[in-house]
Amino acid sequence: MAAVADRHADAIRTAADAEIARYLAAAQVAAGLGAQSDLSHGDFLAVTTPVVTDRLAGVTGIAYVVAADTAAVPSTQRYWRARGAVDLVLRPEQTTDRHYFAVLARSLTAVALRALGRDLAASSEAAAALEEARRTGTVTASRTYVLLSDRALPVEAQQRSFVVAAPVRAAASTPRSGQFLGWVMLGLRGGTFMTSVLRRASAGQVNVALADDSDPRSPVPVAQVRTGTPLDRPDLQRHAHLSVAHRSWQLTVTPTRALVAGDAQ
């Protein structure tokens, strides 16, 4: 029975790793944006089309984000309107002078349509991920939280979610070679993102819970799949860690009675 539990845990970890890699790869459109000498709304649409056509489960949208201080808000809005974001209205948070605006955006859900012009400084989780991505020069995932676009939903419809941010630097072939320009950011609903893959990998024989345990003192749930009545066998429960773009996630795999029945056949 222990060997069966090990196999299930390994299969689920492998499936989760593969799914996470697909989403992190989507953020690599940052390189395509950095190659544009004068990024426009049309360029953004062309470069991000593969992310939209892939229809990755849980992705609420993709945005190009730039930083601006309060004094630069009017000029930032004029600049991006002139580059095709004609309906852009920046909505700065009033409690800070450091802003992170989604100036180009593609929404994949109805509730995410308000992303354009939003100041991500309103989310400490998103702002921290953006700054970490800029500091490290790598794709970075945020802590899980309820996305700004989802907070108007009924509480029962809200999910623990996260954003993935990738820094955009000007390509060597452009006049601004090497200069930091902004970020590509994807919003992902955690439950939708992982539930389908966890359910397939569980084969109806184990329950699976996924949590962000980057802070071991207060792990935060990301997704959960319950396929049956859990066994009261702590010795058969398995844990596995996943590294997700500077975050640490833990999988907990708990066998159900169906696992015992299948092993006995």
Side-chain angles (χ1 to χ4, degrees), residues 177-190:
S177 175
Q179 183 177 338
F180 176 80
L181 303 176
W183 300 265
V184 168
M185 193 183 76
L186 282 78
L188 297 102
R189 293 194 180 118

Side-chain angles (χ1 to χ4, degrees), residues 135-233:
R135 184 185 68 82
T136 62
T138 58
V139 177
T140 300
S142 73
R143 300 190 303 274
T144 55
Y145 67 107
V146 177
L147 296 176
L148 295 175
S149 59
D150 285 354
R151 293 181 184 179
L153 293 173
V155 173
E156 62 273 13
Q158 296 177 4
Q159 296 185 32
R160 300 300 300 186
S161 304
F162 60 101
V163 297
V164 173
V168 177
R169 291 191 176 276
S173 58
T174 65
R176 301 170 70 181
S177 175
Q179 183 177 338
F180 176 80
L181 303 176
W183 300 265
V184 168
M185 193 183 76
L186 282 78
L188 297 102
R189 293 194 180 118
T192 306
F193 163 58
M194 288 304 297
T195 296
S196 59
V197 68
L198 295 180
R199 189 173 297 281
R200 289 194 304 272
S202 70
Q205 296 188 316
V206 293
N207 296 333
V208 187
L210 181 64
D212 182 340
D213 67 343
S214 299
D215 181 354
R217 298 167 299 177
S218 54
V220 180
V222 176
Q224 184 169 336
V225 171
R226 182 181 174 91
T227 64
T229 303
L231 284 177
D232 187 17
R233 289 283 304 273

